Amino acid sequence: QVQVVESGGGVVQPGGSLTLSCEVSGYIFSDHGMHWVRQAPGKGLQWVAFIHRDGTTSNYADSVRGRFFISRDNSKNKLFLQLNSLRLDDTAVYYCVPNMDNWGQGALVTVFS
Amino acid sequence: SYDLTQPSSVSVSPGQTARITCSGDLLSSKYVRWFQQKPGQSPTLILYNDNERPSWIPERFSGSSSGTTVTLTISGAQVEDEADYYCYSAADNTLGIFGGGTKLTVL
């Protein structure tokens, strides 16, 4: 059974930085592309970023490009999202979604002044 | 940029058929996934490749595609199907996009 566990969420001031981590088990991590998706309070799902299974290719939503950076460590079955220059509207639950299949419980990021 | 358009809400009585559409130019050449999200829960995958169903998803959930519109059909909707439903697709397989979501009410 696939398990997805996000961590690293928290409260940060505007302009600050945070790094989210995601650990996946029960899954051949290196075989699959990985996504980050976020959901602002009371809002819909927003795709944030993708990274290819070998880490060579990534892509970002326009709203985060240049501020967020996705990476992975296949030796540790881990995915990361570095969030920089955070804004109030980045407040959301961030989900790590392997192959856009399985979802964890998410990590809450609150940008608060 | 691409957009996927869903109705904001759909309402049916128990046992009726619910249909939720997802429209966008991207869909003429790309597959759609559908996710169900119940209040307070994470989303779950219910359909992929427009109409394929994971083994644990009930048969009453089905999908179809025509041109630039993909439809999620719930045949004989049940009260437990009340949830938000999101369609998803990806341009160039690396640039994802979600529809705005549809709130399904079954009562």
Side-chain angles (χ1 to χ4, degrees), chain B residues 66-105:
Chain B
S66 178
T68 58
T69 298
V70 176
T71 302
L72 166 66
T73 299
I74 309 173
S75 303
Q78 301 183 8
V79 174
E80 68 209 51
D81 299 330
E82 196 164 278
D84 293 326
Y85 291 84
Y86 295 91
C87 61
Y88 167 88
S89 191
D92 297 326
N93 296 322
T94 69
L95 190 66
I97 182 166
F98 283 95
T102 299
K103 183 177 182 60
L104 175 66
T105 301

Side-chain angles (χ1 to χ4, degrees), chain A residues 11-100:
Chain A
V11 180
V12 61
Q13 291 187 330
S17 297
L18 205 60
T19 298
L20 303 180
S21 300
C22 169
E23 190 159 2
V24 182
S25 58
Y27 202 69
I28 304 176
F29 184 79
S30 59
D31 277 358
H32 301 283
M34 298 287 295
H35 300 260
W36 284 100
V37 176
R38 69 183 181 183
Q39 187 169 34
K43 302 297 185 182
L45 302 174
Q46 181 188 20
W47 177 83
V48 173
F50 166 83
I51 188 166
H52 191 267
R53 58 188 178 183
D54 63 9
T56 57
T57 302
S58 59
N59 211 341
Y60 301 87
D62 288 345
S63 58
V64 307
R65 185 174 288 115
R67 300 189 299 123
F68 291 8
F69 178 68
I70 188 171
S71 61
R72 64 190 296 162
D73 184 341
N74 284 349
S75 68
K76 297 180 180 177
N77 282 14
K78 282 194 167 183
L79 178 74
F80 304 97
L81 185 68
Q82 183 176 342
L83 296 74
N84 300 317
S85 303
L86 281 161
R87 309 187 305 214
L88 295 176
D89 63 358
D90 292 319
T91 294
V93 174
Y94 286 74
Y95 296 99
C96 156
V97 194
N99 203 36
M100 203 48 79

